[in-house]
DNA sequence: TCTGGGGTCCTAGGACCC
DNA sequence: TCTGGGGTCCTAGGACCC
């Protein structure tokens, strides 16, 4: 927690719905619901007019239609949201270089890096007002709610206090007075499951939460969540604004209007998703080592499977093949409601050839020994012997570390077909010919 | 016609290594 | 061939957020 109110949180009001109303005057003043319009859709954003009918985000669209049959139901125009979001984020970055977007419609700004005469409540309040005015201008009429405080926690809670079109600045020293009477669910990270656990031990408000020791909270919620909540309950929060957060995973998933049972259809859908994921990896110039699938069954239970490759890949066929293999292990005879493919363990796409200059002591060995080494190493790594290794190398190189040294196997590219082993070398000549480890 | 899609972070257990 | 501890990696699932 800082001594001055230097963290600002902006949240655009009913963002998707507001963009629709901005672009289509006939929708202004009327209930608008943006989200999935299919049989299994849910509401992403409801305009304030729709909210008066009890429609809110995450509600099923079917329920929303029941509550507000006259609303306009729209599936959304993401490029328009992205454009509006970009205008706002650019605006924020003109105020301070330290901007952390949380989503299209939300961001933290660190005002300690902004050009301000001082960081008094008066001064940051004036900045907040001006910001709201300029958000209105750069977006062609959208409003945002702004919260300013001495920490992320306080700024975020503050922006929610006077929605829509609000501005709340929490003066330094007032943090605990603000939090104590509130429900524990105002703390980001306290969702239904955590709230229920806390309720069972008689904790409803932040003040109640303060009554628990860190040990008690850790016992109840686990180490990270428990000690984190112990601090936040006391308004202790020194998380910094992180302008550049790296992507950790890329995924695609689809819920189908009816459950699918046809395995061949499902495999084709999986292939398509693998292609979409790969396309996004390539656009971002990244690749990934871990391929995951997600399957939601007819009863809404969800299973996931993943497999980690020896090297990062952005190869459609390889990712699709791994996805299919993982899928084949599952019993989906009851029907599949949702299917998804994801890639994590991301790395820069352009990989240096780590082994290019490492050949000084390299010793060439016969192909037979190479194949044996690959087979042994692949068993060692838990792969099916032989088959995946060549593809997984993806034209780079591949290292197997053992207690006795490092063995490098080089491949030609796998893009034009199954790769071929080009050479085999060891950093220590004593290792060649390589002896496969015992099973 | 209950329950999206894109993510992040955490936990727990097992394998493996030293 | 007895016992153990720590660290890392991997996998599956869960909670949470917008």
């Amino acid at each position: 927690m800082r001594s001055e109110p230097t963290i600002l949180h902006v949240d655009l009001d009913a963002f998707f719905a507001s963009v629709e109303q901005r672009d289509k005057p006939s929708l202004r003043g009327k209930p608008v619901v943006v989200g999935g319009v299919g049989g299994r859709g849910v509401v992403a954003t409801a305009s304030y007019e729709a909210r008066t009918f009890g429609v809110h985000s995450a509600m099923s669209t079917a329920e929303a239609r029941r509550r507000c049959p006259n609303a306009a139901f729209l599936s959304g125009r993401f490029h328009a949201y992205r454009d509006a979001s970009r205008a706002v984020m650019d605006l924020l970055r003109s105020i301070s270089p330290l901007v952390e977007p949380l989503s299209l419609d939300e961001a933290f700004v660190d005002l300690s890096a902004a050009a301000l005469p001082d960081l008094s409540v008066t001064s940051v309040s004036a900045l907040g007002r001006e910001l709201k005015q300029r958000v209105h201008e750069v977006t062609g009429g959208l409003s945002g709610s702004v919260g300013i405080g001495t920490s992320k926690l306080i700024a975020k809670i503050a922006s929610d206090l006077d929605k829509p079109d609000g501005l709340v600045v929490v003066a330094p020293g007032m943090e605990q007075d603000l939090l104590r009477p509130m429900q524990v669910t105002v703390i980001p990270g306290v969702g239904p499951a955590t709230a229920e656990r806390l309720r069972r031990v008689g904790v409803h408000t932040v003040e109640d939460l303060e009554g628990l020791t860190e040990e008690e909270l850790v016992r109840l919620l686990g180490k990270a969540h428990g000690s984190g909540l112990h601090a936040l309950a006391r308004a202790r929060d020194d998380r910094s604004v992180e302008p550049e957060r790296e992507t950790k995973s890329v995924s695609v998933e689809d819920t189908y209007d009816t459950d699918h049972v046809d395995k061949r259809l499902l495999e084709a859908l999986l292939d398509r998703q693998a292609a979409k994921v790969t396309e996004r990896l390539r656009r971002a110039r990244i690749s990934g080592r871990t391929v995951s699938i997600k399957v939601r069954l007819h009863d809404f239970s969800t299973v996931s499977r993943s497999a980690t490759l020896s090297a990062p890949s952005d190869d459609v066929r390889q990712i699709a093949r791994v996805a299919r293999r993982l899928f084949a292990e599952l019993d989906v005879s009851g029907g599949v409601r949702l299917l998804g493919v994801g890639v994590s363990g991301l790395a820069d796409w352009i990989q240096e050839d780590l082994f290019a200059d490492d050949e000084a002591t390299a010793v060439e060995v016969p192909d037979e020994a190479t194949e044996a080494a690959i087979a042994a190493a692949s068993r060692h790594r838990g792969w099916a012997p032989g088959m995946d290794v060549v593809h997984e190398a993806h034209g780079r190189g591949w290292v197997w570390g053992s207690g006795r040294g490092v063995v490098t196997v080089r491949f030609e590219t796998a893009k034009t077909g199954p790769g071929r082993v080009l050479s085999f070398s060891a950093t220590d000549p004593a290792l060649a010919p390589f002896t496969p480890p015992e099973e």
Side-chain angles (χ1 to χ4, degrees), chain A residues 1 42 45 47 49 66 71 74 81 137 177-178 206 214 222 231 238 275 277 283-284 288 293 321 343 352 361 386 389:
Chain A
M1 184 161 64
V42 300
T45 312
S47 71
E49 296 83 0
R66 241 168 270 135
L74 308 170
Y81 310 151
E137 289 163 12
D177 290 338
L178 173 74
V206 177
E214 185 167 355
D238 53 14
V277 168
R283 269 190 214 282
I293 64 163
R321 190 157 39 81
V343 174
E352 296 302 320
T361 59
V389 178

Side-chain angles (χ1 to χ4, degrees), chain A residues 142-427:
Chain A
L142 301 190
S143 70
S145 295
V146 172
I148 303 177
T150 52
S151 67
K152 280 184 163 179
L153 173 72
I154 297 299
K156 171 112 170 131
I157 289 173
S159 71
D160 211 40
L161 291 179
D162 193 25
K163 272 177 158 290
D165 204 15
L167 170 63
V168 174
V169 181
V170 178
M174 298 302 291
E175 295 86 355
Q176 289 192 272
D177 290 338
L178 173 74
L179 291 183
R180 279 197 182 109
M182 298 180 130
Q183 297 295 303
V184 287
T185 48
V186 296
I187 300 177
V190 178
T194 304
E196 173 58 20
R197 284 190 179 183
L198 291 171
R199 193 194 60 76
R200 271 191 242 139
V201 295
V203 169
H204 301 90
T205 64
V206 177
E207 187 170 14
D208 297 337
L209 190 57
E210 267 189 274
L212 298 189
T213 65
E214 185 167 355
E215 291 68 37
E216 288 171 320
L217 275 171
V218 167
R219 221 178 304 130
L220 198 64
L221 306 172
K223 194 165 167 28
H225 206 185
S227 42
L229 219 48
H230 182 262
L232 292 182
R234 287 156 184 75
R236 290 206 294 258
D237 175 18
D238 53 14
R239 291 172 294 172
S240 57
V241 175
E242 303 284 347
E244 307 210 356
R245 302 186 55 192
E246 268 181 49
T247 301
K248 302 270 173 69
S249 66
V250 174
S251 65
V252 167
E253 65 184 56
D254 295 294
T255 294
Y256 307 112
D257 275 351
T258 56
D259 296 350
H260 289 313
V261 287
D262 183 334
K263 269 247 172 191
R264 275 174 43 213
L265 171 62
L266 287 162
E267 282 175 0
L269 292 168
L270 211 51
D271 282 349
R272 231 168 51 184
Q273 293 181 323
K276 277 193 203 170
V277 168
T278 308
E279 176 57 28
R280 279 167 49 191
L281 288 176
R282 293 198 175 199
R283 269 190 214 282
R285 315 209 98 226
I286 50 179
S287 54
R289 274 187 74 212
T290 302
V291 179
S292 307
I293 64 163
K294 174 174 168 180
V295 181
R296 179 117 71 207
L297 304 171
H298 64 287
D299 63 354
F300 211 72
S301 62
T302 306
V303 289
S304 62
R305 289 292 181 271
S306 65
T308 299
L309 311 176
S310 60
S313 168
D314 65 352
D315 183 275
V316 207
R317 289 168 311 156
Q318 180 179 15
I319 289 167
R321 190 157 39 81
V322 175
R324 275 176 180 252
R325 196 189 78 212
L326 293 169
F327 183 69
E329 295 167 5
L330 301 176
D331 175 11
V332 295
S333 48
V336 171
R337 177 191 179 95
L338 168 150
L339 208 53
V341 174
V343 174
S344 57
L346 302 181
D348 289 344
W349 190 51
I350 305 299
Q351 298 169 46
E352 296 302 320
D353 188 345
L354 297 171
F355 320 113
D357 301 312
D358 210 9
E359 311 290 328
T361 59
V363 175
E364 293 287 328
V365 297
D367 272 0
E368 259 181 16
T370 304
E371 299 291 0
I374 294 168
S378 60
R379 279 195 293 277
H380 176 76
R381 296 297 296 253
W383 298 331
M387 57 169 266
D388 278 343
V389 178
V390 171
H391 278 296
E392 284 169 7
H394 190 49
R396 314 290 172 179
W398 175 92
V399 161
W400 179 58
S402 80
R404 293 164 297 167
V406 175
V407 174
T408 303
V409 184
R410 299 172 61 79
F411 302 93
E412 69 179 0
T413 178
K415 288 193 178 177
T416 53
R420 189 168 65 82
V421 176
L422 293 179
S423 66
F424 171 75
S425 63
T427 51

Side-chain angles (χ1 to χ4, degrees), chain A residues 102-113:
Chain A
L102 297 176
S103 64
L104 287 181
D105 67 335
E106 241 186 80
F108 284 114
V109 183
D110 188 338
L111 299 181
S112 66

